[in-house]
Amino acid sequence: MSKVRGSTTTRAVQRSSHTTIRYTISGPADGPVVVFVHGWGCDRDDFGEVTAFLPEHYRVLAVDLAEHGESRSTRDVWTMEEFARDVAAVLEAERVDTCVVVGHSLGGAVAVEVGRLLPDVVSHVVALDALHYLSLFPAQDESQVQAMLRSFSEDFPAGVRGMVEAGSPAGTDPGVKDAYFEKMVSVRQPAGLRSLEGLVRWRMDDVLREVKQPITLFAVREILTQEAIDRYGDRIRIVPVDLGSHHFHRESPAGTAELVARVVAG
C-alpha cells in the first residue's frame, strides 16, 4: 500500500449545547468512504499513519468526539448514542451515502451505535480491540458501575494506569505504555469520567440485537478470551490479530490499514 495520499483538510460541524465537532477528511470525493472513531481519552490523530497506508482512492474521515482532541462541548449527555450523533453530524455534513465505520475501544461502541442510527448509510462496522472486554462493554450491574466510577473518582491516574495495563500483553514496551497513559490521563473533565460511565452503562447486548450490519472485530489475541468468543461469536466476526497492544493501530499502522482495506473490499 502506498503512503502517498492527497492533502488532508480539517473541517468542523456545529451541534447543540455549544458542541463543535472537528474532523479531517482526505481522498477523492467519489472513493469508498471509511470513517475512523477513536477510543476513550484518545483523538483522531491516532489514525494518521493508518490513513496514510490506505489505498489512495479511499475517502477517509477521522472524527474527534466531543471534548476529545480538538472538539469542544458544554453538553451534559455523554452516552455512546450521543457520541454516535457526533459522527452522524459529520456524515450528514459531508453528504456520505454509504461508508464503513471503524472504531477503536470506546469508539467501537460508538461505531455500533452509528450503525444503529444510520442503517442505510453504514454498510459495515469494524471494531479495533473493542466489544470483547466483558468487564467493560456489556452493561454492568449497578454495584459494578458504582465500584468502577468510585475507583476512578478516588484515584483517576491509578484507574487509567489499570486500563493501560489491561490492554498490554506481556512484553509490551514500558515506554509505549507510559505514552498511552500520559495521553489518556489528560482527558478533559468532566467528559472523561462521564463518558466512561456512559460506556459501562451502555446496553451492548440490546444494541447488537438491533444492528443489522455485519460487525468485524479485530482483537489482540493475547487479550481475547474464550468466554467473549462464546458469548458474541455468533453475532460478531471475531478475528484475533498479533499486531501489538490494545492500541495496535498506532503500533502497526500498515497492518491495521490492510485489515481495514480487506473489509472495505469485501
Side-chain angles (χ1 to χ4, degrees):
M1 293 183 186
S2 172
K3 284 196 68 174
V4 179
R5 290 183 61 83
S7 61
T8 298
T9 302
T10 300
R11 296 178 181 172
V13 64
Q14 300 297 321
R15 298 196 61 222
S16 59
S17 300
H18 302 286
T19 298
T20 301
I21 302 301
R22 292 184 170 85
Y23 59 98
T24 56
I25 187 165
S26 65
D30 59 351
V33 180
V34 181
V35 183
F36 287 101
V37 185
H38 61 77
W40 182 85
C42 301
D43 57 58
R44 69 176 191 250
D45 289 345
D46 287 350
F47 297 109
E49 289 194 64
V50 175
T51 297
F53 281 106
L54 288 172
E56 295 177 43
H57 68 286
Y58 281 16
R59 184 74 159 170
V60 181
L61 289 76
V63 182
D64 275 340
L65 299 174
E67 282 299 281
H68 289 74
E70 294 183 329
S71 292
R72 297 291 182 270
S73 179
T74 62
R75 71 190 186 206
D76 56 7
V77 177
W78 298 100
T79 61
M80 300 305 100
E81 297 95 323
E82 193 64 23
F83 279 137
R85 294 186 184 101
D86 290 341
V87 180
V90 171
L91 299 182
E92 181 179 4
E94 294 298 330
R95 296 183 173 85
V96 174
D97 57 12
T98 184
C99 66
V100 172
V101 181
V102 181
H104 167 242
S105 196
L106 174 146
V110 175
V112 171
E113 283 289 356
V114 177
R116 178 166 73 158
L117 186 64
L118 301 174
D120 297 326
V121 175
V122 177
S123 62
H124 202 121
V125 173
V126 177
L128 304 180
D129 211 50
L131 310 180
H132 65 92
Y133 289 83
L134 299 185
S135 63
L136 190 62
F137 283 91
Q140 307 297 301
D141 64 41
E142 190 59 27
S143 63
Q144 292 172 307
V145 170
Q146 292 302 325
M148 174 173 285
L149 296 179
R150 184 167 53 251
S151 67
F152 273 81
S153 296
E154 293 174 352
D155 192 340
F156 189 73
V160 175
R161 177 63 75 177
M163 292 178 70
V164 172
E165 291 296 334
S168 302
T172 301
D173 184 339
V176 169
K177 292 191 290 186
D178 287 346
Y180 297 149
F181 168 78
E182 292 297 338
K183 182 170 187 174
M184 296 166 66
V185 79
S186 63
V187 64
R188 284 191 294 278
Q189 302 294 357
L193 281 170
R194 294 293 304 280
S195 57
L196 183 62
E197 179 180 2
L199 180 60
V200 296
R201 291 189 185 280
W202 184 52
R203 305 197 68 81
M204 184 172 83
D205 289 34
D206 294 342
V207 175
L208 288 177
R209 283 191 285 270
E210 295 184 29
V211 173
K212 305 307 180 185
Q213 299 93 330
I215 302 173
T216 298
L217 161 63
F218 296 110
V220 175
R221 189 185 306 273
E222 289 188 46
I223 299 174
L224 179 64
T225 65
Q226 187 60 47
E227 183 181 2
I229 295 172
D230 292 342
R231 180 165 179 168
Y232 293 114
D234 62 341
R235 174 61 187 91
I236 301 172
R237 176 174 172 255
I238 302 175
V239 182
V241 297
D242 301 294
L243 296 178
S245 76
H246 176 62
H247 300 263
F248 66 79
H249 55 293
R250 293 181 58 183
E251 297 155 34
S252 304
T256 303
E258 183 175 356
L259 295 176
V260 171
R262 287 178 185 172
V263 173
V264 175

